[in-house]
Amino acid sequence: MSLPKEQIYTISDIYALPDGQRAELIDGQIYYMAPPSRRHQHIVSKLNQSIANYIDKHNGSCSVYPAPFAVFLNEDDRNYVEPDISVICDSDKLTDRGCTGAPDWIIEIVSPSSKRMDYFIKLFKYRSSGVREYWIVDPDKKQVLIYDFIHDDTTFYTFSATIKVNIYDDLSIDFSDIAKDIL
């Protein structure tokens, strides 16, 4: 007796979802996303603001985009993600549809329904696709896990830390300021 064949989805299937239904596609598998909490959105908003202010102040060439923002990781039709925050430093990767290829820096805010995705599935996918830096912000644990893929380094921080951004020489983010209104 043969096993049932696993269905492989494409980006067309993502775009065919009903309005308001958000999902990501990794290696042809669809992962539906629950709506984010207020705490989640607060962290996204504050981090996005800090990064955008830094880029503007330094006339930087990078761009920062909060979710929902389409990232086509492998330039194929089987991988589509919407990271909570994407920083792209190569403007040739940007189109009206989103980012084609790996962003330089991705931040994901963990929610109860996204733990497996953020800590395992996306970690592997981001690393193998060429993302330079990946932050996993976990509000329940009050910690930030930093993967510096360029230097093959991993570091844990608490929400009371000031965290150095590895893709920039002079950007640090005071996480106690980001988290002060939500703890």
Side-chain angles (χ1 to χ4, degrees):
M1 179 176 197
S2 64
L3 294 174
K5 189 173 182 177
E6 185 176 305
Q7 182 165 355
I8 301 297
Y9 295 94
T10 67
I11 291 169
S12 296
D13 295 308
I14 293 292
Y15 281 104
L17 291 172
D19 286 345
Q21 176 68 60
R22 290 183 54 214
E24 295 178 304
L25 181 69
I26 297 179
D27 296 328
Q29 297 302 302
I30 290 180
Y31 297 90
Y32 294 97
M33 298 188 301
S37 68
R38 181 195 64 81
R39 180 171 66 166
H40 179 282
Q41 290 303 93
H42 173 85
I43 295 170
V44 168
S45 177
K46 291 291 190 177
L47 284 170
N48 189 74
Q49 181 180 21
S50 294
I51 297 163
N53 288 344
Y54 171 84
I55 292 169
D56 290 347
K57 181 179 176 183
H58 292 85
N59 296 314
S61 61
C62 300
S63 300
V64 59
Y65 297 94
F69 178 73
V71 174
F72 305 92
L73 279 175
N74 297 108
E75 300 183 46
D76 61 21
D77 69 344
R78 297 182 322 128
N79 289 282
Y80 166 97
V81 292
E82 293 182 2
D84 290 314
I85 296 177
S86 301
V87 177
I88 298 100
C89 299
D90 179 355
S91 63
D92 289 339
K93 291 182 178 181
L94 296 172
T95 69
D96 284 342
R97 290 181 70 200
C99 176
T100 303
D104 293 86
W105 178 20
I106 288 178
I107 302 173
E108 295 284 8
I109 315 305
V110 176
S111 59
S113 63
S114 74
K115 285 182 181 182
R116 182 173 167 265
M117 285 291 292
D118 295 335
Y119 280 106
F120 300 105
I121 296 170
K122 286 184 176 180
L123 170 63
F124 173 77
K125 198 66 189 171
Y126 292 160
R127 177 181 214 130
S128 64
S129 67
V131 171
R132 294 168 49 201
E133 185 166 351
Y134 176 39
W135 288 23
I136 301 173
V137 178
D138 193 324
D140 288 340
K141 293 180 180 178
K142 296 179 180 67
Q143 73 180 21
V144 181
L145 180 57
I146 311 283
Y147 289 93
D148 177 355
F149 295 136
I150 298 300
H151 299 102
D152 198 27
D153 188 39
T154 305
T155 311
F156 280 97
Y157 294 93
T158 67
F159 274 16
S160 62
T162 297
I163 303 171
K164 164 85 174 75
V165 177
N166 295 300
I167 68 164
Y168 291 110
D169 292 331
D170 58 348
L171 174 59
S172 293
I173 296 176
D174 180 355
F175 223 88
S176 64
D177 189 50
I178 302 287
K180 70 181 175 189
D181 296 329
I182 59 164
L183 299 178

